[in-house]
Amino acid sequence: QAHSCGLTRTGAVLCWGANSYGQLGDGTHAMRLSPVTVQLPGSAAALAAGWNHSCAILQDGSAYCWGRNDSGQLGDGTTSDRATPVAVATEDRLVSIAAGNGHTCAVSTTGVGFCWGRNQYGQLGIGEFGGSSATPRAVALGAPLVTVAAGSVHSCGRARDGRIWCWGRNANGQLGDGTRQDRATPVPVR
């Protein structure tokens, strides 16, 4: 929304901008006009900045998130905001991560999609609308994924066979399935 993050060639994560929820990961809630280093327990391989939270996948496949957590979008099993990174509660090694408004999605090395956080429009892809999950839930898709993207309240993933699948809010046809119907499970983009 009002912050940015970057990943250096050496795996360091830098963030700057608004910080009212701790989304810069520097242990404060102070706005930063220039980049500050996020204190992660290792080098990062992937990075995502959402509405008021941020996440990184480390080179060992573990994931960490920080910032706003009112819907469990940090994936640490709580709904407490965090000004420093906390581990996402999964033993799966992750390769891709995306952060939306109040939800986060990731893909494991085995191709399983996971989402967590707010689910009012089905944006977690778990086959149900409403509620939230403070820990990762498997996306209800039989095909293995390679990457994932998150919009404000919808998500999409690219399968190994190249097909694109989307789920969540669809009021403006953002799922690409030829309808305007919200979807709690992934539908193929036509």
Side-chain angles (χ1 to χ4, degrees), residues 28-114:
T28 75
H29 289 90
M31 179 190 312
R32 304 294 185 175
L33 302 179
S34 57
V36 293
T37 301
V38 178
Q39 297 303 314
L40 290 163
S43 296
L47 178 64
W51 193 254
N52 285 307
H53 73 291
S54 309
C55 297
I57 296 175
L58 302 189
Q59 290 180 358
D60 66 3
S62 62
Y64 287 79
C65 295
W66 56 96
R68 189 170 187 173
N69 198 29
D70 60 326
S71 298
Q73 59 263 49
L74 302 187
D76 69 340
T78 77
T79 54
S80 300
D81 296 347
R82 308 290 185 163
T84 56
V86 290
V88 174
T90 181
E91 295 180 10
D92 291 86
R93 293 183 62 211
L94 304 176
V95 294
S96 174
I97 195 160
N101 184 335
H103 77 291
T104 307
C105 294
V107 176
S108 74
T109 55
T110 59
V112 177
F114 293 96

